[in-house]
Amino acid sequence: MIPKNLAVTTGILVALTLGMSLYLWQLRRHQTSGPTSSVLGSAHVAPPTTGRQEKVTLFVADDSRGELQPRVVSIALSPDRQMRALELLQRLVEICQEKGSTHAISSTAEIKAVYLIDSGAAVIDVNSGFVDGQTSGILAEDLTIASLAKSLSVNVPNVARVKILVDGKERDTLAGHSDISGFYDAAALSELSRDLSPK
Amino acid sequence: MRWNSAANFIISTGKSFSWIPVLVCVLLSEQTSPPSGQPAPAPSAGPNSPPTQSVTPAQNPAPKLPLVLIDAAHGGSEPGAILASNVPEKDVTLAYSRRLRQELLARGFQAQVIRDGDFALSTDQRVSIANSVKPALYICVHAASTGVGIHVYSPVLPLAGENNGAFLNWATAQSSSLSRSRMLQQQITSAIQKMGFPVKALAAPLRPLNSIVVPAIALEIAPANGTAEQLASVDYQNMTAAAVANAISTVRQRLETAP
């Protein structure tokens, strides 16, 4: 004969086990019905179109001439400074990814985020596709950096210092030459392609 | 004070001491370099060594001109950019650096190549050698298929911490020589331009330059005709090396009066 208290305890434990199993099953069903992380990671993030259309000047690198070419484009920009910075640079990358671009960037290159920190610092986070497809060489790398820095500092007020991260991590060089390990003065970076030759 | 400087040097040169044999080689080769007025030695033999070129010796021995330290970028397991089919940047920089050394020696300069062979040197090792030898001018040599002709770079320093007395910030040690680096860059660019050679003066955040305490510039040799194969051409390397050496000759007085 099984004692009554043992039977009650066993019943409670069985009920709890069934309840937990049901809860776990529901959690798994909820997780699998949502978008997977791999799908989110590979999806191309289109620039938002909800903001006000604005004409801005982006500075597109020209490898053959070794300088930046200003290009006026009309894009929808968010009123939020940080979002605005991201949208500007995303548009700049799209221009470089177009066929016949003067400064080719990999089709997998993306600006993941732009963080605007106090005291005028901007941190640009690019993905690994951005650096993997970067042409190696001082001029080619400098033009990329100058293009990002100048497009940002001209169109977003109070950006004085710029740093570039790759997938959220510090990296020594962009593609073996230009140092991106520290913060640089945005104006100095913008003048990388300045022709210093005496006239 | 001396111990402080020594400690600073040792700490700032990084964790590895493998640069010491390279430094010894550079110093020994400097002592054994031929006096001006005698033919310069042929470049070291090796798979990447360029053919020997004739050097016209000066008729009258002249006093030694300042030391120019040439740093062939990349090397060993680090090939740099692949410029054309089977032409890694490290081979072009080494061959070009040897030619530039020849051209400078022929003009009476003292000239040494930091990486005179196919081996890897870290950025910190290169900086340690340059800061120990203290040349009148440090030149970092690169090559690229982007652009046209010769690109002459001056450093762009990062926004880093301040120097602390005798202890220099490793990332911005170039700050005390930056104005001289820019001045020499401008004059060398101007001299090359007068020779009718395509040249561009630029500024770049390059780590070896930023940590060097003497005037420092970088050269990036790009093809003049748009084809990367030209970079491996002996004639093109000779032509660009002669143009740069001639330009450096025009600033010899500035180098001699280095503080």
Side-chain angles (χ1 to χ4, degrees):
Chain A
M1 185 66 185
I2 300 169
K4 190 180 175 183
N5 56 350
L6 186 61
V8 169
T9 307
T10 306
I12 290 170
L13 284 173
V14 168
L16 277 172
T17 306
L18 287 173
M20 290 292 284
S21 301
L22 189 65
Y23 180 64
L24 193 66
W25 176 72
Q26 279 192 324
L27 277 180
R28 282 186 67 85
R29 197 179 64 163
H30 180 70
Q31 195 179 24
T32 51
S33 64
T36 61
S37 57
S38 61
V39 170
L40 278 177
S42 62
H44 179 72
V45 181
T49 53
T50 51
R52 195 163 56 90
Q53 285 280 334
E54 279 186 51
K55 276 190 177 176
V56 293
T57 303
L58 299 177
F59 294 86
V60 183
D62 185 337
D63 288 351
S64 60
R65 302 177 73 165
E67 57 192 32
L68 300 179
Q69 299 287 345
R71 186 183 297 189
V72 178
V73 294
S74 183
I75 52 175
L77 288 173
S78 164
D80 177 69
R81 268 181 86 230
Q82 198 153 286
M83 276 305 294
R84 178 188 174 89
L86 176 62
E87 289 156 12
L88 282 165
L89 297 190
Q90 282 177 337
R91 182 72 188 104
L92 179 66
V93 168
E94 284 175 2
I95 290 172
C96 292
Q97 288 170 334
E98 288 169 2
K99 198 176 177 184
S101 162
T102 54
H103 182 75
I105 284 185
S106 161
S107 59
T108 59
E110 269 183 42
I111 305 289
K112 294 174 75 174
V114 179
Y115 305 102
L116 299 180
I117 312 168
D118 292 344
S119 67
V123 178
I124 303 167
D125 187 16
V126 301
N127 70 345
S128 53
F130 192 99
V131 290
D132 292 344
Q134 169 68 46
T135 304
S136 182
I138 305 176
L139 183 62
E141 293 172 42
D142 277 355
L143 284 170
T144 299
I145 295 170
S147 173
L148 292 173
K150 191 162 188 176
S151 297
L152 198 60
S153 60
V154 165
N155 294 297
V156 181
N158 302 323
V159 170
R161 293 176 294 149
V162 174
K163 182 182 173 75
I164 296 174
L165 300 178
V166 179
D167 284 333
K169 293 175 184 168
E170 281 192 350
R171 189 174 157 122
D172 285 345
T173 63
L174 195 60
H177 295 85
S178 294
D179 181 15
I180 56 167
S181 62
F183 273 98
Y184 281 90
D185 181 72
L189 286 182
S190 302
E191 290 179 357
L192 288 181
S193 57
R194 172 184 51 157
D195 190 350
L196 302 172
S197 310
K199 298 288 180 277
Chain B
M1 185 63 192
R2 183 179 295 174
W3 282 108
N4 281 349
S5 302
N8 178 29
F9 174 74
I10 290 165
I11 291 165
S12 59
T13 52
K15 301 166 192 72
S16 165
F17 291 94
S18 56
W19 53 270
I20 291 174
V22 182
L23 175 59
V24 170
C25 289
V26 168
L27 292 172
L28 284 175
S29 59
E30 185 184 343
Q31 287 174 353
T32 55
S33 62
S36 60
Q38 291 182 15
S44 315
N48 302 316
S49 54
T52 307
Q53 62 184 66
S54 60
V55 176
T56 309
Q59 293 302 313
N60 300 313
K64 277 279 186 187
L65 286 170
L67 171 66
V68 178
L69 194 60
I70 306 160
D71 188 0
H74 310 290
S77 58
E78 194 207 332
I82 303 300
L83 303 169
S85 54
N86 297 325
V87 181
E89 186 183 357
K90 65 174 184 175
D91 288 354
V92 175
T93 59
L94 177 58
Y96 182 83
S97 297
R98 287 169 170 171
R99 291 180 200 288
L100 182 57
R101 176 179 58 189
Q102 289 284 84
E103 294 288 346
L104 289 168
L105 288 171
R107 287 161 180 77
F109 280 91
Q110 297 180 76
Q112 297 298 328
V113 175
I114 286 185
R115 181 179 72 80
D116 198 3
D118 187 16
F119 54 90
L121 279 176
S122 73
T123 303
D124 287 348
Q125 287 170 333
R126 294 170 195 268
V127 172
S128 300
I129 292 167
N131 286 348
S132 304
V133 174
K134 284 196 167 50
L137 178 63
Y138 166 91
I139 301 176
C140 185
V141 175
H142 286 268
S145 51
T146 307
V148 179
I150 302 171
H151 309 144
V152 187
Y153 292 89
S154 62
V156 171
L157 302 185
L159 301 164
E162 298 293 315
N163 297 332
N164 187 6
F167 293 87
L168 299 180
N169 187 305
W170 186 248
T172 58
Q174 167 66 194
S175 55
S176 58
S177 295
L178 187 57
S179 58
R180 279 184 65 80
S181 297
R182 286 176 176 161
M183 182 264 292
L184 290 169
Q185 174 210 22
Q186 195 155 358
Q187 292 184 347
I188 288 169
T189 305
S190 175
I192 297 172
Q193 205 169 36
K194 282 175 185 165
M195 294 172 218
F197 205 88
V199 62
K200 203 169 180 67
L202 303 135
L206 292 170
R207 190 173 274 185
L209 267 60
N210 291 349
S211 301
I212 287 168
V213 296
V214 297
I217 60 170
L219 294 178
E220 189 177 48
I221 311 302
N225 64 5
T227 60
E229 284 74 16
Q230 191 181 26
L231 293 167
S233 149
V234 172
D235 287 344
Y236 187 66
Q237 289 179 3
N238 281 338
M239 189 168 62
T240 48
V244 171
N246 281 335
I248 292 172
S249 292
T250 65
V251 297
R252 67 176 66 188
Q253 281 189 328
R254 298 270 186 183
L255 296 175
E256 283 169 333
T257 57

